[in-house]
């Protein structure tokens, strides 16, 4: 890896110390500053090697192929999914520090973990991701007005990093039309709320790696995958950081 960005991150940390996002300790090495986490806290975010639901990618407790919500649901438009962490404790703290602290170093860390997940777990054996032809990253689009409110799109920063780490273009083809915030709705309304509200405004890549920060019911990813396929994508695999 080119170490210059890491040393720039260290210089920045020296001038404007943020400290480790989890324990607050000072970051004194280039790699720590680049990832925004100290050497002690970083290993806490190893991805658990457990059996996962073949539909939504969450870790499974039983010996079944699918988790209970997926067995009871109607299925998804995406062809597979993988999620890295539960949205609890230190994991939750990590996402909040990234999102609300607008921390680029934590974005570097989270993007790296997504790539680690793809290489270590090879969760989509049918995908042919090993050769990058026709493959592209597609971010889940923010709600209209959201970027204007906060001035930053944490998913878009990840997109840039992912594209650099796993060489494939980013295609920002999905657009979200005004709809209610998914957070305020129950499971059933979440599905209907997004119907037809996410569209692909241009031709998507043939093979898509769709990604987002948190998966709850999977409705948003499902609506995105449906829009991508309606616009011509052949396969859509979903990658998500946290499951709630
Ligand atoms: Zn720490
Ligand atoms: Zn599932």
């Amino acid at each position: 890896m080119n170490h210059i960005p890491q040393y720039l991150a260290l210089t920045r940390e020296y001038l404007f110390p943020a400290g480790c996002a989890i324990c607050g300790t000072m970051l004194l090495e280039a790699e720590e500053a680049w990832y925004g986490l100290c050497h002690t806290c970083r290993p806490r975010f190893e991805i658990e090697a457990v059996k996962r639901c073949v539909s939504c990618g969450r870790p499974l407790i039983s010996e079944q192929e699918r988790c209970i919500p997926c067995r009871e649901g109607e299925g998804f438009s995406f062809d597979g999914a993988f999620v890295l962490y539960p949205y609890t404790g230190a994991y939750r703290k990590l996402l909040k520090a990234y999102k609300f602290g607008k921390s680029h170093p934590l974005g570097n860390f989270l993007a790296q973990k997504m790539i680690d997940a793809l290489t270590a777990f090879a969760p989509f054996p049918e995908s042919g991701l090993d050769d990058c032809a026709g493959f592209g990253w597609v971010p889940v689009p923010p709600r209209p007005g959201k970027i204007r409110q906060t001035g930053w799109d944490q998913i878009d920063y990840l997109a840039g990093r992912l594209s650099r780490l796993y060489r494939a273009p980013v295609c920002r083809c999905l657009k979200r039309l005004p709809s209610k915030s998914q957070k305020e709705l129950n499971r059933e309304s979440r599905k209907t709320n997004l119907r037809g509200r996410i569209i692909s405004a241009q031709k998507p890549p043939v093979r898509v790696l769709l990604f987002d920060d948190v998966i709850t019911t999977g409705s948003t990813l499902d609506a995105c995958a449906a829009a991508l396929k309606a616009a011509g994508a052949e396969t859509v695999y979903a990658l998500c950081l946290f499951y709630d």
Side-chain angles (χ1 to χ4, degrees):
M1 177 179 179
N2 177 356
H3 291 284
I4 294 169
Q6 295 204 358
Y7 282 99
L8 288 176
L10 186 61
T11 309
R12 192 174 191 279
E13 182 66 24
Y14 178 74
L15 295 171
F16 311 101
C20 170
I22 299 299
C23 72
T25 194
M26 277 173 74
L27 303 176
L28 303 171
E29 288 175 30
E31 204 182 26
E32 291 181 313
W34 173 249
Y35 289 130
L37 293 166
C38 72
H39 282 325
T40 316
C41 290
R42 207 144 23 105
R44 295 170 66 181
F45 297 98
E46 284 308 311
I47 304 159
E48 253 198 308
V50 290
K51 199 174 170 213
R52 285 156 194 272
C53 171
V54 296
S55 292
C56 73
R58 282 185 177 80
L60 285 170
I61 332 166
S62 72
E63 281 304 299
Q64 307 269 3
E65 289 275 283
R66 288 180 166 75
C67 68
I68 297 168
C70 286
R71 270 182 272 151
E72 289 170 354
E74 298 156 21
F76 295 116
S77 302
F78 44 81
D79 299 279
F82 191 88
V83 281
L84 276 63
Y85 306 119
Y87 192 49
T88 54
Y91 302 110
R92 198 182 177 110
K93 195 168 174 181
L94 187 66
L95 181 64
K96 288 198 160 168
Y98 174 49
K99 220 165 154 170
F100 304 116
K102 300 179 186 176
S103 164
H104 289 192
L106 292 178
N108 301 337
F109 179 72
L110 291 168
Q112 183 62 55
K113 296 313 279 185
M114 281 178 144
I115 300 301
D116 290 353
L118 283 183
T119 45
F121 296 95
F124 314 127
E126 311 291 312
S127 64
L129 288 181
D130 301 340
D131 93 78
C132 292
F135 153 73
W137 294 100
V138 175
V140 166
R143 280 205 321 280
K146 194 190 151 230
I147 301 175
R148 231 175 307 130
Q149 276 168 23
T150 61
W152 121 285
D153 178 357
Q154 77 274 6
I155 299 300
D156 204 58
Y157 183 75
L158 279 181
R161 292 305 315 160
L162 289 169
S163 172
R164 281 198 164 209
L165 290 166
Y166 203 87
R167 292 187 178 281
V170 178
C171 181
R172 295 176 178 82
C173 54
L174 293 177
K175 300 280 173 262
R176 203 186 283 224
L177 306 173
S179 60
K180 279 190 188 155
S181 166
Q182 289 287 91
K183 280 186 196 141
E184 297 155 17
L185 305 169
N186 65 24
R187 197 180 175 85
E188 221 12 71
S189 321
R190 278 177 183 235
K191 241 187 145 85
T192 48
N193 180 42
L194 285 175
R195 209 160 278 163
R197 309 308 293 165
I198 294 180
I199 53 158
S200 187
Q202 63 190 81
K203 196 167 166 41
V206 179
R207 296 188 286 161
V208 172
L209 251 183
L210 176 68
F211 64 97
D212 202 359
D213 50 1
V214 184
I215 180 170
T216 306
T217 61
S219 305
T220 306
L221 288 170
D222 184 54
C224 290
L228 289 164
K229 287 193 170 175
E234 281 171 19
T235 49
V236 178
Y237 292 94
L239 198 54
C240 214
L241 287 167
F242 303 90
Y243 54 91
D244 199 4

